Amino acid sequence: MKLYDTRTAQKQEFAPLDGAAVRMYVCGITPYSESHIGHAMSYIYFDVLRRYLQHLGYRVRHIQNFTDIDDKIIARAKQQGIGTVQLAQKYIADYYEVMDRLGILRADVYPLATVEIPYIIDVIEDLVEKNFAYASEGDVYYRVEHFRPYGALSHRKLDEMLAGARVDPGEKKESPGDFALWKASKAGEPFWPSPWGPGRPGWHIECSAMSLRYLGTQIDIHGGGQDLIFPHHENEIAQTEAFTGVAPFARFWAHNGLLTLGEQKMSKSLGNLITCRDALDRYTPEALRLFFLSSHYRSPLAYSEENVTAQNRALDRLRGALEPTQDTGAEVDAAPFRRRFTDAMDNDLNTPQALAAMFDLTSEIYRARLAGQAVAAGQAGLIEMADILGLHLRPAKRDASADPFIEILVELRKELRTSQQFTLADGVRQKLQALGVVLEDSAQGTKWKFGG
RNA sequence: GGCGACGUAGCCAAGUGGUCCAAGGCGGAGGUCUGCAAAACCUCUAUUCGGCGGUUCGAAUCCGCCCGUCGCCUCCA
């Protein structure tokens, strides 16, 4: 498949370094508040990438961090009067819960920054030894000007960035572009001992340390939102490549476009967000997933309740195509649709096009069924494609305790219709509909389902 | 200010030189079926791709300018 790489700014044929195994690192969250649907969107995209790579026969080793110590966590914990660990654990639990509900496959390892401190210190020490970093009053900074390719990922020139950079008074940096690898702790802040005194890791170093530790010196795919390109990923490259002497650290940089709410990016710091929890209260995981996948992962997307809601109708259409039939005759052939699907996915994960193939197959199944042809092969193909996208089209498990009562009403209505008492029959149907039960009459009898 | 991305039907959204007088979904209109609905099926719903120029035999697709929107440059998926 072809995958777009931010660093080279082009689509390139993807193949892992190591034969059948793909090493993928996706930047995780800083757990100081509930995960929002911008996170959900990003992790759904990477979930689909992973599922598709697995479909192609690769074994994927997927690592995703939690940056469970930083300024925001310290501030929020203080505000809530709890410990930083307690705060982070609370939001990590929230993350797991909502992402599980969204059907996102779990990573192989979710390393925590606070647990990787010894390894982080090792990396920093090495960078200091190599002169890529320097200690300054208990802090340690990365000497950006010593890393020649700095800016290669974000396509910026260091001197242009420095020209506009502000220099805060009292900075301990040699140069405004330098960034912290280690921060000395202030009074009352959590700290870990280090060769430079008590402190905590800077923001970017944990990802370098974790990817090195769990995936090695070179990885195949490094993912995250486009807002991480600079400075986070740029700095990761500087750290990791200076440490290993091997480039490129990540062979493909995959960045998803950002979700906007109203006129702005959805983000925790701006406060304009919808939490996953709220979204899941209102919409099914499938509707949300379909909403995200109907836009290409690299495009920005505006959150729209109207458009998420509209996905329910589309899902009903897909699900309807999977209803069993017992007709025989010519088989619906899923192959041409499967081919369109994989062609689309091979082209930098073009999920909107892949979905179009699925919807066309869906129409084909309906038409064939109308013509009395067998559709099992088509249905199998549709399910296979849906699985690759992580879309669960099979009806969810639900409480069936009301079913016998609904059956009685359906039976009653049948008798009313038989005796031409249509007003009463329609009344039953309308009242059931008001309760969320949809009836569909056909020559084969009346079917009913929840939804609609 | 610097760097980058984007602007396609009522809404969402693919398509990046001819096979596109432009996929797919939602919505809408008409029809078939039905006691009526619903679902499904059939037909229709952008002579046109932000605007203006240019390159080319040929452009939504390439180039230039303009208008508009967003992102990054500071924490952020």
Side-chain angles (χ1 to χ4, degrees):
Chain A
M1 76 178 294
K2 278 187 160 49
L3 195 60
Y4 184 87
D5 168 44
T6 303
R7 188 173 54 90
T8 52
Q10 52 186 295
K11 290 179 200 172
Q12 295 187 315
E13 192 60 38
F14 176 80
L17 254 182
D18 170 21
V22 174
R23 285 180 274 233
M24 178 164 95
Y25 186 95
V26 179
C27 274
I29 56 160
T30 301
Y32 71 88
S33 62
E34 283 185 53
S35 295
H36 60 70
I37 52 176
H39 299 126
M41 180 175 90
S42 182
Y43 298 124
I44 284 171
Y45 289 145
F46 287 105
D47 184 58
V48 171
L49 174 59
R50 170 177 168 180
R51 287 171 190 265
Y52 190 60
L53 289 169
Q54 288 174 339
H55 168 76
L56 292 177
Y58 296 118
R59 208 170 60 247
V60 178
R61 180 160 165 82
H62 172 195
I63 307 297
Q64 186 170 316
N65 64 290
F66 286 114
T67 301
D68 62 341
I69 183 68
D70 92 321
D71 294 349
K72 289 255 167 62
I73 289 179
I74 292 169
R76 186 65 65 95
K78 188 175 286 179
Q79 183 191 323
Q80 295 189 10
I82 58 176
T84 52
V85 171
Q86 204 181 341
L87 181 95
Q89 286 302 323
K90 174 175 152 190
Y91 291 117
I92 288 171
D94 169 77
Y95 176 89
Y96 284 135
E97 187 194 326
V98 297
M99 296 302 160
D100 283 350
R101 283 169 71 189
L102 286 164
I104 292 163
L105 297 173
R106 291 238 182 160
D108 293 280
V109 185
Y110 287 94
L112 301 174
T114 57
V115 175
E116 305 292 333
I117 300 273
Y119 203 78
I120 288 171
I121 289 174
D122 285 350
V123 174
I124 298 175
E125 281 195 292
D126 180 84
L127 292 175
V128 171
E129 273 171 36
K130 288 176 176 155
N131 216 30
F132 279 105
Y134 55 93
S136 174
E137 300 172 41
D139 291 351
V140 180
Y141 293 97
Y142 190 97
R143 190 174 276 130
V144 163
E145 279 151 276
H146 275 219
F147 186 69
R148 288 291 94 200
Y150 196 74
L153 177 72
S154 54
H155 307 292
R156 294 153 201 241
K157 291 188 175 64
L158 185 56
D159 46 339
E160 283 172 5
M161 283 188 280
L162 293 181
R166 55 156 202 267
V167 187
D168 290 341
E171 285 268 15
K172 305 178 202 168
K173 300 176 187 176
E174 287 177 0
S175 168
D178 294 350
F179 59 91
L181 297 172
W182 189 262
K183 296 171 131 177
S185 60
K186 301 190 187 90
E189 289 182 350
F191 64 87
W192 288 262
S194 83
W196 315 281
R200 63 177 183 276
W203 173 34
H204 318 290
I205 192 66
E206 82 285 13
C207 282
S208 286
M210 292 173 187
S211 64
L212 281 165
R213 176 150 191 210
Y214 293 97
L215 293 171
T217 54
Q218 271 191 303
I219 66 178
D220 296 300
I221 298 171
H222 193 126
Q226 282 174 349
D227 52 352
L228 296 181
I229 295 171
F230 189 90
H232 186 56
H233 288 161
E234 196 70 71
N235 291 352
E236 271 188 60
I237 292 174
Q239 293 163 344
T240 305
E241 293 186 3
F243 177 81
T244 63
V246 177
F249 149 51
R251 301 173 58 245
F252 284 82
W253 285 91
H255 292 106
N256 62 274
L258 302 175
L259 186 67
T260 59
L261 180 63
E263 299 298 292
Q264 277 182 311
K265 176 178 79 159
M266 187 173 290
S267 84
K268 289 191 282 194
S269 49
L270 293 171
N272 66 320
L273 52 79
I274 291 173
T275 63
C276 292
R277 202 169 288 280
D278 287 347
L280 284 165
D281 282 346
R282 304 195 54 182
Y283 309 105
T284 62
E286 287 73 30
L288 288 163
R289 186 174 282 250
L290 194 56
F291 171 69
F292 293 134
L293 296 184
S294 61
S295 164
H296 185 81
Y297 79 93
R298 283 194 286 117
S299 301
L301 180 64
Y303 180 70
S304 150
E305 300 202 332
E306 186 191 342
N307 289 330
V308 178
T309 304
Q311 304 310 320
N312 285 319
R313 302 298 302 273
L315 283 163
D316 281 346
R317 186 167 166 74
L318 293 170
R319 289 199 185 98
L322 295 181
E323 282 171 18
T325 42
Q326 54 281 72
D327 293 306
T328 52
E331 275 276 344
V332 169
D333 183 9
F337 300 96
R338 192 183 278 117
R339 182 181 188 88
R340 278 175 56 199
F341 179 90
T342 53
D343 282 351
M345 295 295 278
D346 279 342
N347 184 14
D348 192 30
L349 223 61
N350 192 329
T351 54
Q353 255 180 10
L355 284 168
M358 285 174 62
F359 281 107
D360 285 343
L361 172 58
T362 297
S363 296
E364 195 61 29
I365 289 170
Y366 280 119
R367 274 194 292 269
R369 192 150 54 188
L370 210 60
Q373 296 172 339
V375 297
Q379 290 176 325
L382 189 59
I383 289 170
E384 186 191 338
M385 293 180 232
D387 283 346
I388 291 169
L389 299 181
L391 268 182
H392 300 291
L393 295 180
R394 284 292 163 72
K397 288 194 190 76
R398 57 179 180 79
D399 181 4
S401 60
D403 289 10
F405 303 99
I406 294 167
E407 306 281 2
I408 288 169
L409 289 166
V410 169
E411 189 58 29
L412 172 67
R413 176 170 165 275
K414 183 185 169 191
E415 286 167 24
L416 289 170
R417 291 176 72 212
T418 307
S419 56
Q420 307 270 306
Q421 307 214 50
F422 293 121
T423 309
L424 285 172
D426 290 349
V428 171
R429 183 174 64 202
Q430 280 154 21
K431 282 166 189 161
L432 281 171
Q433 180 150 32
L435 297 170
V437 179
V438 179
L439 303 193
E440 291 176 8
D441 298 326
S442 74
Q444 285 76 42
T446 299
K447 284 190 300 191
W448 65 271
K449 64 181 182 186
F450 282 105

